[in-house]
Amino acid sequence: MEGGGDMGLMEWCRELPKIELHAHLNGSVRDSTLLELAKDLGEKGVIAFEDVVHVIMKNGRSLPECFKLFDLYHLLTTDHQTVTRITKEVIEDFAAENVVYLELRTTPKKNEAKGMTKCSYMKAVIDGIRAVDTVDVDFDTSGTSNVNCSEATPLNCIGSPIKRKKIYVRLLLSIDRRETTAAALETVNLAMDLKNFGVVGIDLSGNPVIGEWQTFLPALKHAKELGLPITLHCGEVPNHKEIQAMLDICPQRIGHACFLVEEEWKRVKFLKIPVEICLTSNIRTERFSSIYDHFFADLYKAKHQVALCTDDSGLFSTTLSNEFYLAASTFGLNKDEMFLLARSAIQSTFADDEVKHELTKIFDDAANRLII
Ligand code: 6MZ
């Protein structure tokens, strides 16, 4: 007998505690915020508002269109204050969906015109985490050092005496495939400097048809030497030479994995590499002609470690609750199976054992309500 009382499936998916491991900051911005920012820049004469409104509101997104959109988003969001604002809002939005652990990834950006360095960009992100006020944030409990590029103080945002909703937030720093080896190395070193500020790993992302693997390899090897976990956007396009090279470095996780062939899947399974699965993103960007062709069911049946993720909740108008609903309604998972799927993502986080233990307790508590 299934738990969750009379709750409808979507409501149940919302109630379910969830772990988000693949969310890009700039891809998760609210449409309303983007429109407001576009209006503001339109009034300042930086962009033509009428030209961008329909682009922001459009639903269908091919993969090349997504990367054009990111250029627009970055134009709208690139100043410290806005980076702080979107970080705050994105965390609040995930928390509202009962995401209890969020590994948020973002590409540290340099922008001389705005006086922005990769480090000051990250300080703005950290300020955004500190600014969250609708939920308690466990960001980092170890920090005793400062972000070097600023006077920022270390964070532990849990401050409210009232028991409120709580979200664990950790950060991944992304290397964009447009970047040089030197820029990628700078990101890895910055991640190391910000370990006391909740940074737990490195991601490689960006337009998959741009950039050469050899450009990023030195930075990724450096991350490995420093003990920083790595997740790679792997096989978002059918580039088998690159997929194999990526698997050669044994990343701690991979994302997308849409075009892996049997031999490559065998290696992923043998190496037990958890896979971040972004169903809506993969369908919207036409990585699969039908959701029923998605590899989710194969991996799930094989009991391979997977985590459902949103990728870009703003860009694709989705939520993590919706991704669970989609998986349940498409692949026929019942509530017990969904609960175990959500909970199993704990193992794939880059968080320390203490956090994993706390997350396990959160799921144990929720089990009584949701599945017993
Ligand atoms: C590859 C993606 C992506 O870092 O500016 N990004 N990279 N594939 C995807 N699938 C659709 N979605 C997002 O967030 C936006 C950046 O994340 C990466 C791209 O590099 C994009 O510019 P941040 O916060």
Side-chain angles (χ1 to χ4, degrees):
M1 157 102 184
E2 279 193 39
D6 293 334
M7 253 187 253
L9 184 58
M10 187 59 206
E11 194 189 342
W12 186 89
C13 290
R14 211 168 274 130
E15 281 288 309
L16 179 68
K18 291 170 289 292
I19 292 188
E20 171 65 79
L21 299 181
H22 188 132
H24 298 270
L25 172 60
N26 274 276
S28 308
V29 181
R30 298 173 187 165
D31 281 350
S32 57
T33 298
L34 288 172
L35 287 176
E36 197 186 313
L37 295 168
K39 204 159 169 239
D40 195 39
L41 281 191
E43 277 161 14
K44 289 179 182 147
V46 181
I47 56 166
F49 180 67
E50 317 73 60
D51 292 351
V52 303
V53 172
H54 71 279
V55 184
I56 292 171
M57 299 315 290
K58 192 173 159 232
N59 247 337
R61 316 251 186 241
S62 70
L63 197 61
E65 270 175 342
C66 285
F67 293 101
K68 277 195 204 139
L69 258 174
F70 285 128
D71 288 342
L72 169 65
Y73 285 13
H74 291 145
L75 187 72
L76 300 177
T77 59
T78 301
D79 65 70
H80 293 106
Q81 215 186 339
T82 309
V83 170
T84 298
R85 171 185 174 174
I86 61 170
T87 306
K88 171 184 186 289
E89 291 179 354
V90 165
I91 293 168
E92 291 181 347
D93 290 350
F94 275 107
E97 290 292 322
N98 281 319
V99 170
V100 292
Y101 176 92
L102 166 64
E103 241 166 57
L104 186 61
R105 56 186 78 188
T106 192
T107 322
K109 297 169 188 73
K110 241 183 208 152
N111 183 344
E112 276 173 26
K114 305 272 178 195
M116 183 183 277
T117 62
K118 281 182 183 248
C119 184
S120 72
Y121 175 91
M122 285 314 302
K123 180 188 175 299
V125 170
I126 289 165
D127 286 347
I129 299 173
R130 182 185 283 132
V132 170
D133 54 20
T134 60
V135 57
D136 285 335
V137 180
D138 178 293
F139 180 60
D140 184 59
T141 48
S142 63
T144 48
S145 60
N146 289 327
V147 176
N148 285 335
C149 63
S150 73
E151 290 104 45
T153 47
L155 292 177
N156 177 4
C157 302
I158 300 174
S160 168
I162 306 159
K163 183 144 174 52
R164 300 195 303 165
K165 236 185 205 181
K166 174 171 164 181
I167 183 169
Y168 288 82
V169 179
R170 296 294 182 267
L171 297 169
L172 302 178
L173 302 201
S174 302
I175 296 168
D176 186 313
R177 297 182 61 106
R178 288 176 294 195
E179 290 186 294
T180 61
T181 301
L185 278 165
E186 191 184 340
T187 296
V188 171
N189 288 328
L190 181 60
M192 206 54 199
D193 289 347
L194 296 180
K195 266 189 112 174
N196 284 342
F197 290 84
V199 174
V200 290
I202 291 290
D203 158 55
L204 174 68
S205 52
N207 192 335
V209 298
I210 288 180
E212 293 295 323
W213 173 245
Q214 290 305 324
T215 310
F216 321 117
L217 187 56
L220 295 169
K221 276 189 174 159
H222 185 50
K224 283 220 121 184
E225 282 155 15
L226 294 170
L228 277 171
I230 293 169
T231 176
L232 302 174
H233 281 60
C234 174
E236 209 175 359
V237 290
N239 177 347
H240 295 286
K241 203 168 153 223
E242 185 179 90
I243 293 169
Q244 277 150 29
M246 285 183 165
L247 298 181
D248 284 345
I249 68 160
C250 298
Q252 276 76 7
R253 296 198 309 251
I254 56 172
H256 293 298
C258 307
F259 287 96
L260 269 58
V261 293
E262 203 182 325
E263 278 308 302
E264 292 154 357
W265 277 124
K266 271 191 192 152
R267 276 190 82 195
V268 170
K269 288 177 185 163
F270 177 76
L271 294 168
K272 295 190 168 39
I273 302 173
V275 183
E276 302 153 359
I277 294 187
C278 310
L279 293 172
T280 298
S281 163
N282 293 163
I283 298 306
R284 288 276 170 87
T285 58
E286 296 160 357
R287 303 297 86 191
F288 297 91
S289 47
S290 151
I291 192 162
Y292 295 99
D293 296 336
H294 199 281
F295 59 84
F296 170 86
D298 289 342
L299 287 193
Y300 182 75
K301 270 189 221 133
K303 298 196 184 335
H304 187 81
Q305 188 60 47
V306 296
L308 293 178
C309 304
T310 53
D311 199 12
D312 298 292
S313 54
L315 184 69
F316 298 121
S317 306
T318 190
T319 59
L320 195 51
S321 311
N322 188 49
E323 296 303 301
F324 273 84
Y325 178 82
L326 198 57
S329 50
T330 308
F331 303 109
L333 274 61
N334 64 30
K335 288 177 181 169
D336 289 10
E337 290 166 331
M338 297 292 285
F339 187 88
L340 291 177
L341 177 66
R343 181 174 142 135
S344 71
I346 298 174
Q347 301 165 42
S348 306
T349 67
F350 293 162
D352 60 34
D353 288 345
E354 201 181 314
V355 173
K356 286 182 180 166
H357 183 68
E358 290 302 317
L359 292 172
T360 306
K361 282 206 290 200
I362 292 173
F363 276 90
D364 287 348
D365 287 350
N368 297 330
R369 255 184 313 120
L370 294 170
I371 58 169
I372 291 172

